């Protein structure tokens, strides 16, 4: 446990913890709390922040939402950008903010043009298929990842560079540690992220479907070279801006890390195939939250196996940003932050309906 605790946005050191009971009595409720935790992966300490909602009671079991930050960001950035803690306090959610080891997540996709090999799809063995060696058995990786020499000289090429951090192993250890320290509902663990974090949420869906009930990707289309064999049908929601300058809505190259992605609509269609959904999505429009805003189109795939569902929110004029949240850099770099919808509300309304069945829970 960390030596420090943040209470309702105020930093409180261990020396002043004795005053906490008096403070709680004075305000009449148990405020939200934040602690810093760590796990060791391959002899490297990895960190994550735990936000406990207001009124946290260790006798109850709380759903968990893991939020992955974007490239060159950190846990505090995604916490600030999304304002997700406000929703977590209101709905009784434990929010987890992990930190990438080197400023970006190991999403299991190389920064180069796709190979000519066919992409494998469908359900696979428990934990997925492919990925980096030691990646928790893990999906969302290179073709043949962790299987030996690889393709097109990949084996010798990778031996000449350092192995990237094993983020699937990190998340597995984090999920093992959480119930030992906090009262979590293991059937209701979810992953969401923005940009690079959105790609990481998709990799979680590919690799950890036995531990995570559903995923949400904001500003992240499906990478063409990602190998994904989830161990079960897993619900997914995509939220993509039509004017995203980094991840092209109509497909192309993810500019920040130079790998090809499908269009937003094809990304949703691809995931719907993983889940064996109906062939055509139901289409609808959502009125903007603010007067004068643009409508948001939705594409919903139903009839999926395991009661899963796959949805795309097409945010008109939106950028590589969190709708309803804060902008984290210039509009020129990432596009507009739409206020037409609240990504927090949309995501939780979707995720909160999903739950792992007993046989899928990794105990």
């Amino acid at each position: 446990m960390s030596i420090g605790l943040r209470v309702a946005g105020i930093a409180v050191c261990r020396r002043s913890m004795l005053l906490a009971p008096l403070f709680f009595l004075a305000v009449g409720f148990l405020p939200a709390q934040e602690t810093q935790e760590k796990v060791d992966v391959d002899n490297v300490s990895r960190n994550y922040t735990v936000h406990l909602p207001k009124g946290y009671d260790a006798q109850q079991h709380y759903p968990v939402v893991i939020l992955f930050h974007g490239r060159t960001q950190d846990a505090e950035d995604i916490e600030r950008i999304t304002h997700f803690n406000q929703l977590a306090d209101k709905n009784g959610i434990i929010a987890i903010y992990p930190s990438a080891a080197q400023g970006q997540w190991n999403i299991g996709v190389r920064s180069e043009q796709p190979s000519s090999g066919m992409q494998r799809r469908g359900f696979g063995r428990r934990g997925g298929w492919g990925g980096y060696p030691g990646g928790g058995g893990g999906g969302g990786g290179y073709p043949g990842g962790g299987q030996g020499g690889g393709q097109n000289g990949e084996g010798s090429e990778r031996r000449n560079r350092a192995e990237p951090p094993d983020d699937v192993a990190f998340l597995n250890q984090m999920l093992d540690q959480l119930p030992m320290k906090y009262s979590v509902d293991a059937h209701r663990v979810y992953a969401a992220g923005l940009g690079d974090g959105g790609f990481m949420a998709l990799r979680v869906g590919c690799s950890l479907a036995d531990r995570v009930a559903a995923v949400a990707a904001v500003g992240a289309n499906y990478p063409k070279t990602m190998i994904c064999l989830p161990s079960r049908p897993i619900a997914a929601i995509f939220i993509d801006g039509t004017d995203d300058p980094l991840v092209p809505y109509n497909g192309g190259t993810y500019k920040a890390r130079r790998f090809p992605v499908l269009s937003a609509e094809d990304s949703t269609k691809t995931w719907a195939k993983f889940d064996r959904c109906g062939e055509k999505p139901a289409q609808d429009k959502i009125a903007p939250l603010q007067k004068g805003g643009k409508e948001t189109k939705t594409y919903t795939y139903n009839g999926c196996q395991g009661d899963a569902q796959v949805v795309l929110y097409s945010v008109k004029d939106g950028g590589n940003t969190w709708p309803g949240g804060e902008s984290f850099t210039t509009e020129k770099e990432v596009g507009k932050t739409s206020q037409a919808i609240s990504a927090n509300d949309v995501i939780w309304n979707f995720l909160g309906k999903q739950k792992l069945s007993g046989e899928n829970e990794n105990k």
Side-chain angles (χ1 to χ4, degrees), residues 186-260:
H187 297 274
R188 303 183 69 201
V189 178
Y190 313 98
L194 170 63
D196 250 38
F199 291 113
M200 190 62 204
L202 294 179
R203 189 182 186 198
V204 166
C206 296
S207 305
L208 297 173
D210 58 340
R211 308 197 71 170
V212 174
V215 298
V218 181
N221 297 348
Y222 187 82
K224 288 185 177 181
T225 52
M226 178 176 275
I227 304 300
C228 189
L229 285 169
S231 59
R232 65 173 183 86
I234 180 167
I237 181 171
F238 293 77
I239 301 177
D240 290 302
T242 61
D243 286 353
D244 189 328
L246 296 178
V247 180
Y249 182 85
N250 292 317
T253 300
Y254 172 36
K255 293 177 175 56
R257 291 177 67 173
R258 303 185 311 282
F259 58 74

Side-chain angles (χ1 to χ4, degrees), residues 242-295:
T242 61
D243 286 353
D244 189 328
L246 296 178
V247 180
Y249 182 85
N250 292 317
T253 300
Y254 172 36
K255 293 177 175 56
R257 291 177 67 173
R258 303 185 311 282
F259 58 74
V261 295
L262 299 176
S263 69
E265 293 177 25
D266 283 345
S267 296
T268 317
K269 183 177 181 179
T270 296
W271 204 275
K273 289 181 179 179
F274 297 160
D275 290 349
R276 305 291 194 268
C277 303
E279 290 187 4
K280 292 186 178 181
Q283 299 186 34
D284 202 353
K285 294 181 180 180
I286 297 176
L289 293 176
Q290 295 182 341
K291 187 176 181 179
K294 303 291 180 66
E295 288 183 328

Side-chain angles (χ1 to χ4, degrees), residues 66-86:
I66 306 166
L67 291 108
F68 296 105
H69 61 75
R71 186 171 181 266
T72 72
Q73 298 175 4
D74 58 24
E76 289 188 2
D77 289 325
I78 192 68
E79 193 174 4
R80 173 181 56 81
I81 291 165
T82 63
H83 301 161
F84 194 83
N85 288 346
Q86 296 177 15

Side-chain angles (χ1 to χ4, degrees), residues 8-353:
I10 304 173
V12 181
C13 66
R14 187 178 294 277
R15 292 174 57 189
S16 62
M17 287 295 287
L18 293 175
L19 298 176
L22 294 177
F23 174 75
F24 295 160
L25 289 173
V27 298
F29 62 89
L30 181 63
Q33 305 173 42
E34 286 194 4
T35 58
Q36 302 297 320
E37 301 287 358
K38 70 175 184 177
V39 294
D40 292 329
V41 182
D42 297 331
N43 298 318
V44 176
S45 289
R46 300 294 303 273
N47 303 312
Y48 63 95
T49 300
V50 178
H51 176 90
L52 300 179
K54 293 179 180 178
Y56 173 77
D57 180 356
Q59 301 303 311
Q60 299 183 26
H61 290 89
Y62 293 83
V64 173
V65 177
I66 306 166
L67 291 108
F68 296 105
H69 61 75
R71 186 171 181 266
T72 72
Q73 298 175 4
D74 58 24
E76 289 188 2
D77 289 325
I78 192 68
E79 193 174 4
R80 173 181 56 81
I81 291 165
T82 63
H83 301 161
F84 194 83
N85 288 346
Q86 296 177 15
L87 181 137
D89 290 343
K90 179 181 178 182
N91 292 278
I93 302 166
I94 296 177
I96 307 294
Y97 301 93
S99 295
Q102 299 175 0
Q104 65 182 28
W105 297 102
N106 171 3
I107 61 175
V109 177
R110 301 180 70 171
S111 297
E112 61 182 23
Q113 294 301 310
S115 66
S116 59
M118 291 295 291
Q119 177 174 261
R120 305 189 184 187
R121 295 176 181 172
F123 301 137
R125 62 181 173 81
R126 183 177 178 88
W129 182 91
Y132 294 104
Y142 306 156
Q147 303 290 327
Q151 301 177 359
N152 301 322
E154 179 186 304
S156 59
E157 179 184 335
R158 289 180 63 200
R159 283 194 294 270
N160 293 329
R161 65 177 186 267
E163 287 293 327
D166 191 342
D167 284 333
V168 172
F170 164 43
L171 295 172
N172 266 317
Q173 290 194 38
M174 183 185 80
L175 290 173
D176 287 342
Q177 186 184 80
L178 278 173
M180 294 189 291
K181 296 192 173 188
Y182 305 99
S183 185
V184 303
D185 184 347
H187 297 274
R188 303 183 69 201
V189 178
Y190 313 98
L194 170 63
D196 250 38
F199 291 113
M200 190 62 204
L202 294 179
R203 189 182 186 198
V204 166
C206 296
S207 305
L208 297 173
D210 58 340
R211 308 197 71 170
V212 174
V215 298
V218 181
N221 297 348
Y222 187 82
K224 288 185 177 181
T225 52
M226 178 176 275
I227 304 300
C228 189
L229 285 169
S231 59
R232 65 173 183 86
I234 180 167
I237 181 171
F238 293 77
I239 301 177
D240 290 302
T242 61
D243 286 353
D244 189 328
L246 296 178
V247 180
Y249 182 85
N250 292 317
T253 300
Y254 172 36
K255 293 177 175 56
R257 291 177 67 173
R258 303 185 311 282
F259 58 74
V261 295
L262 299 176
S263 69
E265 293 177 25
D266 283 345
S267 296
T268 317
K269 183 177 181 179
T270 296
W271 204 275
K273 289 181 179 179
F274 297 160
D275 290 349
R276 305 291 194 268
C277 303
E279 290 187 4
K280 292 186 178 181
Q283 299 186 34
D284 202 353
K285 294 181 180 180
I286 297 176
L289 293 176
Q290 295 182 341
K291 187 176 181 179
K294 303 291 180 66
E295 288 183 328
T296 298
K297 293 182 179 179
T298 63
Y299 302 80
T300 303
Y301 286 88
N302 295 304
C304 313
Q305 289 188 359
D307 293 326
Q309 190 180 57
V310 183
V311 182
L312 166 65
Y313 277 69
S314 175
V315 182
K316 183 68 174 177
D317 299 335
N320 194 262
T321 52
W322 193 272
E326 291 186 22
S327 180
F328 56 92
T329 185
T330 65
E331 187 174 305
K332 181 179 179 181
E333 292 181 75
V334 297
K336 295 181 179 179
T337 302
S338 174
Q339 301 298 321
I341 62 171
S342 164
N344 287 345
D345 290 338
V346 166
I347 287 172
W348 180 242
N349 287 339
F350 179 83
L351 297 182
K353 295 183 295 185

